[in-house]
Amino acid sequence: MTQTPQTTEQAKALALLSPEAQALILAGGLQHAAIIMDGNRRWAKSKGLPTLMGHKQGVQSLKNVVRFASDVGLKALTVYAFSTENWQRSAEEVGGLMALFIEALLAELNELHEKNVRIVFVGQLDGLPKTVQATLAKGMAHTANNTGLTLQVATNYGGRAEILAAATQLARKVQAGELSADAIDESVFAQHLATQNQLPEPDVLIRTGGEQRWSNFLLWQCAYAEFICTPVLWPEFTPACFAATLNELAQRHRRFGK
């Protein structure tokens, strides 16, 4: 029987995974991967290219990784696109990144929708330029009913700011008599985070580019995630690289403090 293009793509993606990794996904032991996409600027510098070219190449890497994550059956992929600290970069770079957000999302939105990917943006979105906010809202609305992979993009996001905002919101509810302090447990707290406890917690946190820092990313959500660092710069991070990290994860014994 002739395979459909989708089936062929899935077969090629799954062939990159070890039997153990495939079994882990099927059993629900690997549902959510989080990635700190580091190395765009270093890649551009190594090639003698403008910084923005590194970010543009990084968009291509993200496209390939999202396609792979969808094809192998992950439920969620969260990527760190822009941190609250990134505003300290040059105005030229920040402006270029904002324009790239709009360009990339509009260019890829139809394919994301066709692959049944739901896209969600989390962070201090009201701090972004209005044109960016409108484009992100369009992307979320267009894919809201999709039931495949959830692509969660942390944009103008900081883990400490997220936790502080949740604590402040809960304190106000207690002060207003809307909530008892004794009713606040981990589940209630998580529901007040930017991610709203809508996805399973990340099973693995991957950082590209060789650095070994958490960088204020998903501090609450990654409490029990396995950390894997790869020296590969993000613009060179391929589905095969992604598969290698998942294969490594499948060899680990996660104890969850036990």
Side-chain angles (χ1 to χ4, degrees):
M1 179 181 294
T2 303
Q3 290 181 314
T4 65
Q6 184 179 13
T7 302
T8 301
E9 289 175 7
Q10 291 174 335
K12 288 180 178 178
L14 287 168
L16 296 173
L17 292 178
S18 66
E20 293 82 2
Q22 292 187 40
L24 193 61
I25 292 173
L26 286 173
L30 172 52
Q31 301 183 72
H32 186 176
I35 305 179
I36 299 174
M37 306 180 293
D38 195 16
N40 290 340
R41 295 192 294 177
R42 281 178 284 159
W43 180 87
K45 185 177 180 180
S46 73
K47 305 291 185 183
L49 298 171
T51 296
L52 192 58
M53 293 303 297
H55 294 304
K56 286 185 175 181
Q57 186 61 35
V59 168
Q60 183 60 48
S61 293
L62 177 57
K63 177 180 178 179
N64 294 336
V65 164
V66 169
R67 186 185 294 122
F68 174 82
S70 175
D71 286 339
V72 300
L74 289 183
K75 292 186 180 300
L77 175 68
T78 299
V79 295
Y80 207 2
F82 191 85
S83 78
T84 49
E85 290 75 31
N86 287 158
W87 294 108
Q88 301 174 49
R89 296 183 179 182
S90 70
E92 180 183 7
E93 182 177 356
V94 170
L97 280 168
M98 293 300 128
L100 189 57
F101 284 151
I102 296 174
E103 176 188 330
L105 181 56
L106 293 178
E108 304 303 329
L109 188 55
N110 285 338
E111 182 175 340
L112 288 170
H113 186 54
E114 288 172 4
K115 288 191 72 67
N116 199 27
V117 173
R118 180 172 72 102
I119 186 165
V120 177
F121 293 91
V122 295
Q124 298 175 30
L125 303 184
D126 57 357
L128 296 168
K130 296 296 184 183
T131 52
V132 176
Q133 290 184 47
T135 303
L136 303 192
K138 176 181 178 180
M140 288 190 284
H142 191 64
T143 63
N145 296 322
N146 290 346
T147 57
L149 174 77
T150 293
L151 172 61
Q152 183 170 248
V153 185
T155 311
N156 197 23
Y157 172 91
R160 285 185 175 181
E162 178 187 36
I163 291 172
L164 180 60
T168 300
Q169 186 179 2
L170 285 165
R172 287 174 177 161
K173 286 187 175 182
V174 171
Q175 188 177 41
E178 299 172 6
L179 182 69
S180 165
D182 293 335
I184 301 173
D185 57 15
E186 288 190 9
S187 177
V188 171
F189 192 90
Q191 290 168 20
H192 289 76
L193 295 169
T195 51
Q196 300 181 338
N197 204 29
Q198 295 294 308
L199 297 173
E201 292 186 346
D203 300 292
V204 59
L205 172 59
I206 302 164
R207 181 165 191 144
T208 65
E211 302 290 353
Q212 300 185 43
R213 295 188 301 271
W214 205 339
S215 293
N216 201 21
F217 182 48
L218 300 181
L219 299 178
W220 175 279
Q221 297 87 341
C222 283
Y224 285 103
E226 294 290 319
F227 185 46
I228 297 179
C229 177
T230 171
V232 180
L233 300 175
W234 178 249
E236 297 176 344
F237 191 79
T238 64
C241 296
F242 191 19
T245 65
L246 300 185
N247 291 342
E248 178 180 340
L249 175 68
Q251 297 302 315
R252 297 186 181 183
H253 177 58
R254 301 179 69 193
R255 297 181 179 82
F256 298 97
K258 298 178 183 178

